[in-house]
Amino acid sequence: MYYDVIMAGFGGQGIQMISQIVALAAIRKGLNVTYLPSYGVEKRGGRTNVTLVIADEEIGSMVSNHPKCVIAMDTIAVDKYKAQVAPKGLLIANASLVPLAMLDRSDIVPLPLRCNDEALALGSAKLSNMIALGAFLQRSEILGFGDVEAVIDEVTPERLKKTIPANLEAIRRGIEIAANGSVR
Amino acid sequence: MNAIFKRPDSLKDTITHFCPGCTHGIAHRLIAETMDELGIADRTIGIPGVGCCVFLYNYFPIDVLEAPHGRAPACATGMKRAQPDKIIFAYQGDGDMAAIGTSEIIHAANRGENITVFFINNSVYGMTGGQMAPTTLLGQQTTTSPYGRDFKSEGYPIKMAEMLATLEGVAYSTRVALHSPKHVNQAKKAIRKAFEMQINEMGFSVVEMLSTCNTNWRVSPLEALKMLEREMIPYYPLGVFKERTGKDFL
Amino acid sequence: MTEKKLTKGNIALAEGAIQAGCRFYFGYPITPQNDIPEYLARNLPKHGGTFIPAESEIASINMVMGASASGKRAMTSSSGPGISLMQEGISYLAGSEMPAVIVNIMRCGPGLGGIAPTQGDYNQAVHGGGHGDYRNIVLAPGSVQEMFDLTIKAFELADRYRNPAMIIADAMIGQFQEPCRLTPERPVEFPEKSWALTGRRGRDPRLLKSLYLGDYEQEEHNLFLKQKYDEIQENEVMVEMQNLDDAELIIIAFGTPARVAKTAISLAREEGLRVGLIRPITLFPFPVNEIYEHSARAKNILVVEMNTGQMVRDVRIAAHKDAAIHFYGRPGGGFPFPDDVLGEIKKALGGGAR
């Protein structure tokens, strides 16, 4: 098993948070993980990109320009990474911000999710990252809800602990939407 | 028979490489006498800079680290932090401290490193053949200021003891001279005071010693001593520029 | 078994230093290595250690010298221009036979350069850098775990041989995260330091110096150092080798390019191309024998570096004369992706060395 994913968006969308959750859950499952946050000049300008590689074998490259999955939380992320998705790969896009017309590659699987709207419906726009995470879990099939539930406390900073139940709820909602395969 | 004058234990019985008439030897002797009097030689580590002072280990029977040019205060910093119970002194010339090593001396002083620095100011680069130093007097001819130092081109002689005294971390900053018995006695007291500052953990201490370099000044040893009195002291006044009396800096 | 923690490369290195018994850090800020001093500023005091934010890299390396001369484990870290400023001090450390660990999380250069991942300082680290006839021990971690383990190793080697040890890593190795065991694999070695300057009480005075003016004294000293470097070459080579038995082509790379090469080799093998890897972990000592032996059989070498060709010159010296040596370099923050390397593999196997 070898799976690489790039998660991208702007600062504050919680990309680091969901990538940390996935990384730790994978480690706990006994998998190898590399976690590469934005590096170099990309650090500037408020963008957040994380490249995660998860494998049951030794991981070579910690960078990927043909990831099996891209989670793009805004239009800039779609612009930058859409072309990189491996053929037959998955492009999870935050359709609350990204026009559907941008998801125009026919050789990959687009999964538009109205992350912000779904999150608001659950009570807070801040849950949009968890909607995307749920969808990723459902489609990538490398980690289950239980794997994530087991590590979310560890990854969540003390001052945000009270948000854990809402986060888990949002992850479940993401899983549910992805399973139905449609934009609500 | 009682010996009333003898070589200090902290000075090796050897011939120095210093030119006849050079006052480095006096500075060495004063430091050795003081180490004897304070009984610290067996826990003292000396750090010479580069230049005529570099052979310090040939003359003092103590542990010695040879520092890169100008860096002795940084080496002394690392050493004192690693072994605060030891007495650490740097011994630098003017090319070493006042030119290439200004950054290291200023910041070691400013951090209040509990070390002692002996600074030999003879107004030239001695070992390399008498080139102009930042301490060279206005109008003074050297091999690289053959027409005399001109402030319009080379700026003014730098007053290290006064400058260092402005820094909060400095416990003791003084300038003494080595050209007459009276001044040598004063210098000895300053050296002792500087070591005591370190022993009492008061902070950074520096003793600037006006010295002669008769070889590079191209005069006789006796004339060099007179020149020091006549030409250096009016520009580089002697005195104590800072002296901490208690640990009030805390 | 100790639990592995998702850890950033620079942090693993800094924690490795603490675990190695380093209690003295002196440094000056420069990107992309600032995690190291920031971690040590926070954590060294908890271990009774000393952290000084030095006024310059020149002061940093000389403070390291002072602490090291005292017999203590001391280090500094920097990047590109800062490492250049330290070269005088590193040369003195080598000449006076003092241990020290110097970390270079490389910046692109020349000049101020950029902060993207690069390997432009191979020559500086491996072939001197400072003045005079000396060598650094040079370690090149290829994973977060190695950032931790090789830091401990660097302190041990530096002490064992009384020689500066450098760790060089590109910013990718410094800044990415992997699960890492943050405890030493085996007890850390602490050799006796019968040369340390601690005051002469109860013994003869000691001296650490690098000035030799007497007839033939310097030559004698240089030959003595040479003997030591030969001994290091003989005993301390570390190298990772993969898939070499049937390899028609050997990739030689260190740091991030070696990681990328591993992925490229998997891709190549899926296509039936027989490719193997030699990853020098020590850059000095260089795995000369391993490269000679395997190149004699494989006949094809592809060196991948994030520069315009620095290690490749050492590979040329080491390789068998019949081996064709190819080079793929991405300098200045340009990055070799796995499919780029795969393309180079195919080119190299298609024939034509350069």
Side-chain angles (χ1 to χ4, degrees), chain B residues 24 27-28 31 46-54 56 60 65 67-77 89-109 115-124 126 135 160 164 178 204-211, chain C residues 62:
Chain B
H24 261 297
H28 273 46
I31 292 169
I47 308 183
V50 172
C52 293
C53 61
V54 74
L56 191 137
F60 294 120
L65 169 65
H69 200 31
R71 320 299 175 212
C75 293
T77 295
F89 75 84
Y91 187 112
Q92 302 184 270
D94 38 13
D96 197 83
M97 179 206 272
I100 198 169
T102 41
S103 175
E104 286 76 18
I105 188 67
I106 284 174
H107 289 280
I115 59 173
T116 301
V117 180
F118 299 118
F119 171 40
I120 301 296
N121 177 359
N122 60 13
S123 83
V124 287
T135 45
M160 292 303 293
L164 292 171
L178 299 174
F204 184 90
S205 51
V206 56
V207 181
E208 174 171 342
M209 299 181 223
L210 298 184
S211 299
Chain C
N62 285 284

Side-chain angles (χ1 to χ4, degrees), chain C residues 109-126:
Chain C
L112 190 51
I115 57 173
T118 179
Q119 296 180 319
D121 300 345
Y122 175 94
N123 282 342
Q124 185 197 47
V126 175

Side-chain angles (χ1 to χ4, degrees), chain C residues 94-302:
Chain C
S96 316
E97 284 200 281
M98 281 186 259
V101 171
I102 301 112
V103 176
N104 182 2
I105 307 298
M106 289 177 274
R107 261 179 96 100
C108 312
L112 190 51
I115 57 173
T118 179
Q119 296 180 319
D121 300 345
Y122 175 94
N123 282 342
Q124 185 197 47
V126 175
H127 295 298
H131 58 283
D133 202 351
Y134 77 98
R135 311 299 295 260
N136 296 313
I137 295 166
V138 185
L139 304 174
S143 65
V144 173
Q145 189 64 60
E146 282 189 354
M147 287 289 261
F148 179 83
D149 290 336
L150 291 182
T151 300
I152 295 174
K153 183 89 185 168
F155 278 102
E156 291 176 336
L157 290 175
D159 277 356
R160 193 181 306 158
Y161 293 102
R162 291 180 57 181
N163 201 70
M166 283 191 93
I167 298 171
I168 67 172
D170 58 79
M172 195 74 83
I173 297 286
Q175 304 201 334
F176 89 122
Q177 302 180 22
E178 277 185 309
C180 180
R181 159 186 48 72
L182 289 168
T183 48
E185 245 181 328
R186 47 184 181 75
V188 177
E189 286 172 25
F190 290 95
E192 279 292 305
K193 296 186 176 177
S194 56
W195 48 267
L197 307 182
T198 53
R200 60 142 213 245
R201 184 169 297 175
R203 58 164 172 78
D204 287 337
R206 291 173 182 165
L207 168 64
L208 291 171
K209 66 154 188 170
S210 58
L211 177 67
Y212 295 92
L213 292 178
D215 290 349
Y216 304 111
E217 270 181 21
Q218 181 69 53
E219 183 180 26
E220 203 176 296
H221 181 58
N222 283 136
L223 290 172
F224 168 78
L225 292 178
K226 166 74 162 74
Q227 246 176 25
K228 181 165 84 173
Y229 304 144
D230 288 348
E231 197 184 319
I232 294 170
Q233 178 70 50
E234 186 68 29
N235 299 327
E236 306 298 347
V237 170
M238 293 172 74
V239 60
E240 181 186 6
M241 296 188 281
Q242 279 188 357
N243 295 311
L244 291 175
D245 290 349
D246 66 341
E248 298 175 288
L249 173 81
I250 299 168
I251 296 185
I252 302 180
F254 69 99
T256 291
R259 298 285 300 243
V260 174
K262 285 182 183 177
T263 303
I265 289 168
S266 303
L267 298 172
R269 286 200 167 253
E270 278 169 25
E271 296 184 26
L273 302 171
R274 298 206 300 269
V275 186
L277 175 74
I278 295 181
R279 176 175 73 92
I281 298 170
T282 51
L283 299 178
F284 178 77
F286 197 62
V288 176
N289 296 339
E290 290 78 0
I291 290 173
Y292 179 80
E293 190 184 307
H294 289 282
S295 63
R297 196 186 35 71
K299 299 287 194 295
N300 266 302
I301 289 175
L302 170 61

Side-chain angles (χ1 to χ4, degrees), chain C residues 248-252 286 291-292 295-296 298-305 309-328 344 347-349 351-354:
Chain C
E248 298 175 288
L249 173 81
I250 299 168
I251 296 185
I252 302 180
F286 197 62
I291 290 173
Y292 179 80
S295 63
K299 299 287 194 295
N300 266 302
I301 289 175
L302 170 61
V303 178
V304 184
E305 296 182 74
Q310 298 194 15
M311 181 177 69
V312 66
R313 296 169 68 181
D314 288 328
V315 171
R316 283 202 183 104
I317 293 167
H320 190 274
K321 63 178 172 43
D322 295 338
I325 296 166
H326 309 262
F327 175 72
Y328 177 53
E344 295 297 319
K347 241 196 273 177
L349 285 174
R354 54 176 172 125

Side-chain angles (χ1 to χ4, degrees), chain A residues 2-5 32-34 51-55 59 61-63:
Chain A
Y2 182 96
Y3 200 95
D4 45 5
V5 51
N32 291 319
V33 172
T34 62
T51 304
L52 266 180
V53 182
I54 300 167
I59 297 173
S61 182
M62 65 291 252
V63 294

Side-chain angles (χ1 to χ4, degrees), chain B residues 10 21 38 50-51 181:
Chain B
S10 295
L38 295 170
V50 172

Side-chain angles (χ1 to χ4, degrees), chain A residues 6 13 15 31 36 49 55 59 88 95 108 111 115 120 129-130 136 155 162 164 174 178:
Chain A
I6 293 175
Q13 283 188 309
I15 309 265
L31 298 167
L36 178 68
N49 316 302
I59 297 173
K88 297 182 187 154
I108 60 172
L111 179 58
C115 297
L120 270 175
N129 57 340
M130 298 295 161
F136 172 75
V155 176
K162 58 182 188 304
I164 290 175

